[in-house]
């Protein structure tokens, strides 16, 4: 199928496509839309940047137009769940464009924004609600909306929702939805937990898979530069100085580290902003708007921006810190080389991150070309040398352990370890 005309979309939807630059369906759109228009449940496997939003959004608007009825107070006719605020915003903008000129009301609810304003907006009911799971549950707990009349459900980037711990929330939401509904689940990967989620949400689904998991876009030039952790900031500045005026996206692993890097780059004279979990929704939206408009040239972000950020002019992605989830690498670098343009992605790898790099290459089934620094050489033990142990690994011949890792005494009973003062562990969240 070479165009949208023969996919079963409504005339009103088709009239909106040229204005938003949709002229030819992508593979996921061409394969998924006809099944969705017919009312089938669908499991879609596709990488970021393949046009998934239009794949479920266009037929959803078509079906709502054909349904014809207006929503009742506090009701939601179609629900789209997304893992991050940024992706929810991106979906909302796109669906609003698809429904332009129709009576369909589209609304987005995310954390970081006034819940009282959201409660007030939902009183009239909405045709399409785009939500992050946490904020949706807050609104449901307040009685601000009901899902009893929801006939259309989309879980977008479902694998990421599982990664960040939304599985229990998703199960709660599923119990509040009517059985008689159409459900679409889109994911970039298919871990075992995803299969369980699909089994509980979908009924006799069509399975559509395009772009093998782990494969990056062909127009992205990739490279890895080996560097000590303390030298990364200076190396990043050197790279960005070679491309003045071009938009660059820099990924860090933690909120605090990303904010610190942003302030350092700002002190060095770069036009830079940052988005992460410690920023309010208003701050994140303003910063993204400035980046999209080219008012700031460098955006430092955690993985909140790894999916759903669609800015065609991003030319460079720098993985300042390698992700500890290998699949996130492909999502990160997928922020460049969009809309048919070229892009580059450079990964900075410290000695402690070599294991993360190898895991990424294994997931991609291809090595990343080395473009700088000294490649670490695996150490070969000398004859007669003691074998090196990993941290926490017991030496050969160590005494057997009892339950919960407690050492066993000679008579087979557990030794009671000496009491230690309790200390609450400190951790740092990634997003």
């Amino acid at each position: 199928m070479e165009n949208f005309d023969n996919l079963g979309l409504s005339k009103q939807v088709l009239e909106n496509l040229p204005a938003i630059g949709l002229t030819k369906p992508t593979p996921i759109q061409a394969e998924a839309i006809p099944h969705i228009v017919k009312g089938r449940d669908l499991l879609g496997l596709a990488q970021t940047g393949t046009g998934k939003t239009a794949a479920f959004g266009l037929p959803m608007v078509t079906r709502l137009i054909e349904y014809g009825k207006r929503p009742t107070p506090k009701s939601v006719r179609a629900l789209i769940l997304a893992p991050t605020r940024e992706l929810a915003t991106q979906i909302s903008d796109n669906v609003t464009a698809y429904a332009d000129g129709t009576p369909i009301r589209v609304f987005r609810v995310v954390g970081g924004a006034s819940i009282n304003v959201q409660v007030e907006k939902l009183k009239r009911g909405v045709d399409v609600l785009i939500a992050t799971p946490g904020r949706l549950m807050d609104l449901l707990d307040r009685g601000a909306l009901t899902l009893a009349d929801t006939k259309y459900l989309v879980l977008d980037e479902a694998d990421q929702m599982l990664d960040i711990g939304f599985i229990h929330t998703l199960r709660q939401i599923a119990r509040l939805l009517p059985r008689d509904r159409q459900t679409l689940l889109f994911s970039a990967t298919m871990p075992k937990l995803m299969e369980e989620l699909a089994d509980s949400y979908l009924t006799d689904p069509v399975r559509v898979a395009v772009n093998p998991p782990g494969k990056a876009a062909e127009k992205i030039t990739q490279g890895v530069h080996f560097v000590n952790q303390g030298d990364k900031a200076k190396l990043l500045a050197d790279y960005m100085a070679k491309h003045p005026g071009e938009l660059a996206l820099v990924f860090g692993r933690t909120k605090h580290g990303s904010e610190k890097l942003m302030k350092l780059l700002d002190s060095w004279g770069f036009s830079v902003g940052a988005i992460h979990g410690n920023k309010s929704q208003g701050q994140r939206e303003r910063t993204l708007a400035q980046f999209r408009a080219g008012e700031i040239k460098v955006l430092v972000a955690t993985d909140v921006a790894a999916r759903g950020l669609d800015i065609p002019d991003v030319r460079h992605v720098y993985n300042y810190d390698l992700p500890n989830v290998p699949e996130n690498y492909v999502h990160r670098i997928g922020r460049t080389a969009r809309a048919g343009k070229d892009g580059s992605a450079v990964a900075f790898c410290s000695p402690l991150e070599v294991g993360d790099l190898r895991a990424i290459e294994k997931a991609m089934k291809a090595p990343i070309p080395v473009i700088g620094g000294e490649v670490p050489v695996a150490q070969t033990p000398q004859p007669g040398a003691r074998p090196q142990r990993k941290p926490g690994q017991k030496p050969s011949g160590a005494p057997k352990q009892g339950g919960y890792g407690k050492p066993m005494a000679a008579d087979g009973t557990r030794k009671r370890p000496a009491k230690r003062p309790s200390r609450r562990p400190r951790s740092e969240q990634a997003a």
Side-chain angles (χ1 to χ4, degrees):
M1 296 182 180
E2 295 297 328
N3 55 60
F4 286 100
D5 294 337
N6 50 5
L7 298 182
L9 299 173
S10 72
K11 182 179 179 181
Q12 289 173 285
V13 169
L14 289 172
E15 289 175 351
N16 289 333
L17 299 187
I20 55 181
L22 293 179
T23 57
K24 181 180 178 182
T26 65
I28 187 68
Q29 293 162 4
E31 292 190 40
I33 288 175
H35 295 296
I36 299 172
V37 169
K38 292 176 182 177
R40 293 290 302 275
D41 282 10
L42 184 136
L43 172 60
L45 297 175
Q47 288 296 343
T48 182
T50 54
K52 287 181 289 184
T53 303
F56 63 74
L58 295 175
M60 176 191 67
V61 173
T62 292
R63 299 207 73 201
L64 291 176
I65 291 173
E66 293 173 350
Y67 189 62
K69 295 182 180 179
R70 303 292 298 162
T72 56
K74 294 187 178 182
S75 69
V76 175
R77 293 170 63 195
L79 174 64
I80 303 174
L81 293 176
T84 67
R85 304 172 192 176
E86 283 67 32
L87 181 54
T89 299
Q90 187 73 44
I91 295 171
S92 178
D93 292 343
N94 287 335
V95 174
T96 300
Y98 305 155
D100 186 40
T102 74
I104 292 174
R105 291 201 298 266
V106 181
F107 188 49
R108 179 207 63 171
V109 293
V110 298
S114 171
I115 194 169
N116 292 326
V117 172
Q118 294 172 355
V119 169
E120 192 65 28
K121 288 275 189 179
L122 289 168
K123 284 183 178 179
R124 294 173 55 201
V126 296
D127 295 287
V128 183
L129 181 67
I130 299 100
T132 49
R135 177 48 58 97
L136 179 65
M137 287 304 303
D138 291 341
L139 290 163
L140 288 167
D141 290 342
R142 288 186 177 216
L145 76 158
T146 174
L147 301 181
D149 296 330
T150 302
K151 298 297 184 182
Y152 192 103
L153 172 68
V154 179
L155 280 72
D156 193 21
E157 303 287 8
D159 54 344
Q160 190 183 13
M161 283 194 269
L162 298 182
D163 287 342
I164 57 182
F166 279 132
I167 181 62
H168 298 297
T169 304
L170 293 177
R171 286 171 177 159
Q172 285 179 286
I173 294 170
R175 289 194 289 268
L176 301 174
L177 291 161
R179 290 183 177 274
D180 181 21
R181 67 172 191 268
Q182 182 181 11
T183 304
L184 313 175
L185 191 154
F186 284 83
S187 179
T189 59
M190 196 66 183
K192 185 176 181 180
L193 194 57
M194 178 63 63
E195 295 177 3
E196 297 174 9
L197 186 68
D199 289 341
S200 62
Y201 267 87
L202 303 174
T203 302
D204 188 27
V206 176
R207 183 181 176 115
V208 175
V210 300
N211 287 43
K215 184 179 180 181
E218 293 180 358
K219 291 195 173 185
I220 302 176
T221 302
Q222 299 180 64
V224 58
H225 195 128
F226 292 98
V227 58
N228 290 325
Q229 186 68 31
D231 297 328
K232 283 187 176 182
K234 181 62 172 62
L235 180 63
L236 175 63
D238 290 343
Y239 268 100
M240 293 193 302
K242 297 175 184 177
H243 307 284
E246 296 182 354
L247 297 190
L249 183 56
V250 181
F251 281 103
R253 184 174 289 185
T254 66
K255 297 178 293 186
H256 302 294
S258 297
E259 184 72 11
K260 183 178 179 181
L261 177 60
M262 183 273 289
K263 291 179 179 179
L264 179 61
L265 294 174
D266 180 66
S267 71
W268 288 350
F270 288 96
S271 173
V272 59
I275 60 170
H276 49 70
N278 278 354
K279 299 284 188 180
S280 70
Q281 184 61 22
Q283 288 175 316
R284 288 158 73 157
E285 290 181 357
R286 285 192 296 272
T287 301
L288 279 175
Q290 291 175 319
F291 185 56
R292 183 174 278 108
E295 296 171 10
I296 59 176
K297 302 299 183 183
V298 182
L299 181 65
V300 183
T302 55
D303 279 323
V304 297
R307 308 195 196 194
L309 187 64
D310 187 10
I311 301 177
D313 291 332
V314 173
R315 294 295 306 277
H316 308 278
V317 170
Y318 298 101
N319 277 287
Y320 187 83
D321 296 316
L322 292 184
N324 50 15
V325 177
E327 291 78 11
N328 282 354
Y329 172 83
V330 174
H331 295 301
R332 287 181 177 189
I333 69 174
R335 300 308 101 203
T336 187
R338 301 181 75 84
K341 298 184 179 181
D342 297 329
S344 71
V346 179
F348 297 163
C349 182
S350 71
L352 293 179
E353 294 174 302
V354 173
D356 293 324
L357 175 65
R358 301 307 176 216
I360 291 168
E361 292 176 326
K362 181 179 179 181
M364 295 179 63
K365 298 181 174 62
I368 301 174
V370 177
I371 58 175
E374 296 185 7
V375 181
V377 179
Q379 297 294 321
T380 303
Q382 298 296 320
R386 282 187 169 185
Q388 296 295 313
R389 300 197 306 270
K390 294 179 181 179
Q393 180 181 355
K394 298 189 297 292
S396 177
K400 292 182 178 181
Q401 301 291 308
Y404 306 102
K406 295 176 181 177
M408 299 288 288
D411 60 0
T413 60
R414 292 197 199 105
K415 291 181 180 180
R416 189 177 298 276
K419 289 187 176 180
R420 295 180 181 178
S422 63
R423 184 175 63 183
R424 180 176 295 177
R426 300 176 62 187
S427 62
E428 185 162 38
Q429 300 176 8

